[in-house]
Amino acid sequence: MLIIKEQKASFEQIKETTILSHSSQYGIDFLYRHIHSQHHRLVVPYAIGALYNHPLEGLLLDTLGGALSFLVSRMTTRTAVIFFCFAVIKIVDDHSGLWLPGNIFHLFFQNNITYHDVHHQLQGLKYNYSQPFFSIWDRLLGTHMPYHLVKLPEGGFEARLKKD
């Protein structure tokens, strides 16, 4: 069990540093304009849109980043399959736009559907990059944008940015 915890910590550390790659695409105008902006054509995220991105971004961040995480953490194949499946489910959930009661991801992660919806809003574009698990990089790098949920009279919720 200790080995799995060490592998998970190593995996998370490497995977979370891809956040730096993600956020650097916003700081380097060329990368954002020609690569990551394709994902942001989705102003209103939907579940399968989580995987809608430029092929180069998919190759570098998802494929090579995942492979590097797997190799450095020395996970077993079975453990890696579990973690990668969990990560994909979490990312698809974050893009679903559905705040469902009892959603287990909302219990364990601050970075949830609403957190990522803020990132896809025009005024939140340069905030809330952290994907898929922890928001620590946003807090450390000053890219965290607080929000609150407002229950709508016609049903559902809306994410509203908190004013300073």
Side-chain angles (χ1 to χ4, degrees):
M1 190 65 158
L2 181 61
I3 293 171
I4 290 175
K5 286 182 182 178
E6 288 173 1
Q7 288 174 339
K8 183 185 183 314
S10 177
F11 171 79
E12 286 305 323
Q13 187 177 28
I14 294 163
K15 191 69 177 146
E16 288 294 318
T17 56
T18 62
I19 301 308
L20 296 175
S21 305
H22 181 188
S23 61
S24 72
Q25 291 183 39
Y26 292 86
I28 301 171
D29 202 33
F30 176 84
L31 290 177
Y32 178 77
R33 220 173 333 116
H34 296 288
I35 296 176
H36 191 65
S37 65
Q38 183 167 335
H39 176 71
H40 279 271
R41 291 178 186 166
L42 306 173
V43 177
V44 178
Y46 62 96
I48 226 55
L51 307 173
Y52 176 75
N53 58 13
H54 190 280
L56 188 58
E57 183 176 12
L59 175 69
L60 293 177
L61 290 182
D62 299 336
T63 306
L64 295 180
L68 181 64
S69 300
F70 171 72
L71 293 172
V72 172
S73 67
R74 300 187 329 255
M75 284 187 202
T76 65
T77 303
R78 180 179 299 168
T79 305
V81 166
I82 292 168
F83 283 127
F84 286 123
C85 287
F86 181 74
V88 168
I89 292 168
K90 171 78 168 74
I91 290 168
V92 167
D93 180 67
D94 286 348
H95 284 81
S96 72
L98 298 173
W99 187 270
L100 300 172
N103 185 329
I104 194 161
F105 293 124
H106 300 169
L107 299 174
F108 295 105
F109 301 104
Q110 179 188 13
N111 177 359
N112 54 35
I113 293 163
T114 310
Y115 190 90
H116 201 69
D117 275 356
V118 167
H119 175 69
H120 277 267
Q121 293 175 7
L122 187 58
Q123 65 270 33
L125 188 63
K126 294 190 176 199
Y127 298 93
N128 294 6
Y129 298 117
S130 292
Q131 185 79 23
F133 298 110
F134 306 108
S135 59
I136 187 70
W137 283 115
D138 282 330
R139 294 184 186 284
L140 291 174
L141 298 174
T143 56
H144 178 283
M145 180 174 279
Y147 62 87
H148 62 281
L149 281 176
V150 175
K151 188 170 176 103
L152 301 174
E154 61 273 8
F157 294 92
E158 179 178 62
R160 296 213 179 131
L161 305 178
K162 288 186 178 176
K163 306 264 193 264
D164 289 334

